[in-house]
Amino acid sequence: MLEKLKDPNGGLSRAGKIVAALVVIVVIGTATAASRPTSQLPNTPQASTPQTLQQVQGEVDEQEPIVETKTITEDVPIPFEKTSVYDATLEQGKTSLKTSGANGMRKITYKITIVDGKETNKEKVSEAVALAPVTEVVALGAKVPAPAPKPIVAPAPQPSNCHASYTGACVPIASDVDCAGGTGNGPAYVAGPVTVIGPDVYDLDRDGNGVGCEG
């Protein structure tokens, strides 16, 4: 019977200790009763047996708790940050991802205290960054678009009897041309203003600003 009450380590389990104590008490009580004269045996049952059982139970219950400690390490993510920079090669209003963000990792070590199989305390022992986070970088366009080129307006073609050095008004081809309303004596006249685009053969642009017959 005692073989069944042994614990896995080869000793008696708690129930086994109680049974063994009972057996010892019964044997001692029997031997004591047998050694007494019949006249000395009490007429009432022994009252000490229940008290002795309580004492044995108390001894078993007063066993020291099993305390153990261990360390564990937890990985805690570190969120990455975001930032932006201006890019002069990127047109205004546009964005571009320059660097992708990535979370880091922090390792935290704890000391765990366990009493009778239950966790009773958790104490942080150390903390270290195992992997630094990578900041996300977004480029913002800062390039000012170039202004649209002005359309080139070709001068209106001159009639075949107009001098090619002038535009804006038809300067006739003659031996001499003067501004109409001026002091010149012709024989041909032109009502300005006219723009000089070639040699000023008739000296119509007296002030040299590129425009003749202004007044």
Side-chain angles (χ1 to χ4, degrees):
M1 178 178 180
L2 292 178
E3 292 295 329
K4 296 180 179 181
L5 299 175
K6 290 183 176 182
D7 62 13
N9 297 324
L12 291 178
S13 64
R14 179 175 178 179
K17 293 179 179 180
I18 294 175
V19 172
L22 289 174
V23 172
V24 172
I25 293 170
V26 171
V27 172
I28 295 174
T30 304
T32 304
S35 62
R36 291 180 181 175
T38 306
S39 59
Q40 294 180 2
L41 291 176
N43 295 326
T44 57
Q46 292 284 341
S48 61
T49 300
Q51 182 179 359
T52 305
L53 286 176
Q54 292 176 0
Q55 293 176 352
V56 173
Q57 180 70 34
E59 292 177 359
V60 175
D61 291 341
E62 291 175 1
Q63 289 182 348
E64 293 185 0
I66 300 175
V67 180
E68 58 179 324
T69 60
K70 64 179 181 179
T71 57
I72 62 171
T73 300
E74 296 180 357
D75 293 334
V76 179
I78 305 174
F80 65 85
E81 296 181 353
K82 296 181 180 181
T83 188
S84 58
V85 295
Y86 287 103
D87 189 345
T89 65
L90 192 65
E91 292 185 2
Q92 289 182 346
K94 294 185 178 181
T95 60
S96 176
L97 180 64
K98 296 180 70 69
T99 305
S100 298
N103 289 336
M105 187 66 65
R106 178 181 289 108
K107 289 187 175 291
I108 303 178
T109 302
Y110 294 94
K111 178 182 178 181
I112 306 298
T113 302
I114 301 172
V115 179
D116 288 339
K118 295 182 179 180
E119 182 180 318
T120 60
N121 187 48
K122 184 178 182 180
E123 177 184 357
K124 183 166 70 173
V125 177
S126 63
E127 178 178 344
V129 175
L131 180 64
V134 179
T135 301
E136 180 181 281
V137 181
V138 176
L140 305 178
K143 181 179 179 181
V144 178
K150 294 181 179 180
I152 299 175
V153 180
Q158 297 282 2
S160 58
N161 60 340
C162 298
H163 201 288
S165 292
Y166 304 94
T167 185
C170 180
V171 177
I173 298 175
S175 59
D176 190 20
V177 178
D178 292 318
C179 296
T183 58
N185 57 0
Y189 298 92
V190 59
V194 295
T195 302
V196 181
I197 58 175
D200 187 9
V201 294
Y202 300 130
D203 196 23
L204 300 178
D205 180 17
R206 298 294 177 87
D207 56 6
N209 67 351
V211 180
C213 302
E214 298 176 84

